[in-house]
Amino acid sequence: FESRVERYGSTVVRINVPPGPFMARDPRVVAVLDAKSFPVLFDVDKVEKKNLFTGTYMPSTSLTGGFRVCSYLDPSEPTHAKVKQLLFSLLASRKDAFIPAFRSHFSSLLATVESQLVLGGKANFNTLNDATSFEFIGDAYFGVLPSASDLGTTGPAKAAKWLIFQLHPLVTLGLPMILEEPLLHTVHLPPILVSGDYKVLYKYFNAAATKALDTAEGLGLKRDEACHNLLFATVFNSYGGLKVLLPGILARIAGAGEKFHQKLVAEIRAAVADAGGKVTVEALEKMELTKSAVWEALRLDPPVKFQYGRAKADMNIESHDAVFAVKKGEMLFGYQPCATRDPRVFSPTAREFVGDRFVGEEGRKLLQYVYWSNGRETESPSVDNKQCPGKNLVVLVGRLLVVELFLRYDT
């Protein structure tokens, strides 16, 4: 994307994006690649969001019980508001569970890291995080450990397999091109190959999410449609996000250096001490540097890098330097890291991790250019937009990881 910007001297360009014609009817998009043009993708008055969560193709609904789940619905569709309200209700009903569940599961993860370091000299955080995040989400959302169900310890593997079947047109597994192109990027993988795994996942959600499904019926949703939506939101959106988010935060903060770690240690331990030794929401709110560090990680490494929208009418899109005419029906595409590393907004340090970037009044003004949640960080998700319903929870979980690390370690 950056080479195209350089070639054309423009941050709004026409390009083709993968996958090819056997999966995507039309690969042509108008790419918006700066902080000023990118937010058009959030404006549901200007762009339609129907069936384009993954872009120019849509995975088979056989992968989601025959239903178009919330991520593929436009806010104008009645089911969108019902499902998103269900997700808001679920998060609100479990708000007191998130901090203790996270601390319990990730304290155990770090203890495992330490024991593996002692025994073998190394530990793989990502592998441990996959298993721990899946357990944490099941515990926090529903109060039922996946490992205590028929899933046992197979949940993360079944979830990863199901995710691949939806995202394979866009991913690379590092195989030789002569294998990857025909296997992953030419035709859709048959949903039947993952149906058994999906049924086991569905069985867990159908049993664990009883209260949420009761709520869904009160909102006018059928129980099975609600369950498929909960599965998708939990596994694809939440679990898929944490697989990327938490290792990314760890890597960015590790690379920020010991002096930055010392500042985090001082802030975190003082706030927890003031709260009587407990990690509370009030204590977390006092940790301005910790929150800034998480926002900075989300700015540089958004868990979902692509956003799409189809123009509802002829319109003009403004970049920093020009105005571009777009016709009704054209697909708009945003590669988020280009927009959130825009040097016109974030100065010469736009590509660098600056942990205190969002501290103070001037720093907080920059939050309007943090877009990871499919909306501005200064805005809130609602049933009328496509912003992530778990926006505030994601930032909370990121902060909790940093807190857990620096209550435990000095660097």
Side-chain angles (χ1 to χ4, degrees), residues 106 109-110 113 123-129 242-257 260-261 264 293-294 297-298 301 353 397-399 401-406 409 411:
F106 280 83
L109 179 151
L110 293 174
V113 166
N124 189 318
F125 179 86
N126 290 25
T127 302
L128 293 170
N129 176 63
L242 292 187
K243 279 169 68 73
V244 178
L245 172 73
L246 298 182
I249 290 174
L250 182 65
R252 287 291 180 181
I253 288 180
F260 184 63
H261 301 167
L264 288 170
V294 171
L298 284 163
D301 306 308
F353 180 89
V397 167
R399 290 150 69 195
L401 176 67
V402 181
V403 168
E404 204 61 38
L405 284 168
F406 291 107
Y409 311 115
T411 182

Side-chain angles (χ1 to χ4, degrees), residues 59 76 89 112 124 135 163 191 250 369:
S76 64
S89 298
T112 303
N124 189 318
E135 282 288 280
L163 289 169
L250 182 65
Y369 301 107

Side-chain angles (χ1 to χ4, degrees), residues 4 25 36 43 69 115 154 182 193 208 213 215 272 275 277 279 284 306 309 315 320 363 383 409:
R4 295 298 179 96
R25 191 180 66 211
K36 188 169 183 179
D43 189 340
V69 292
S115 64
T154 67
L193 297 179
L213 296 175
T215 300
V272 172
V279 177
L284 290 166
F306 307 140
M315 68 167 114
H320 292 298
V383 296
Y409 311 115

Side-chain angles (χ1 to χ4, degrees), residues 4 8 12-16 28-31 325-327 330:
R4 295 298 179 96
Y8 299 123
V12 178
V13 297
R14 293 186 182 277
I15 59 172
N16 295 330
R28 296 173 298 176
V29 299
V30 176
V326 172
K327 296 293 185 184
E330 287 196 277

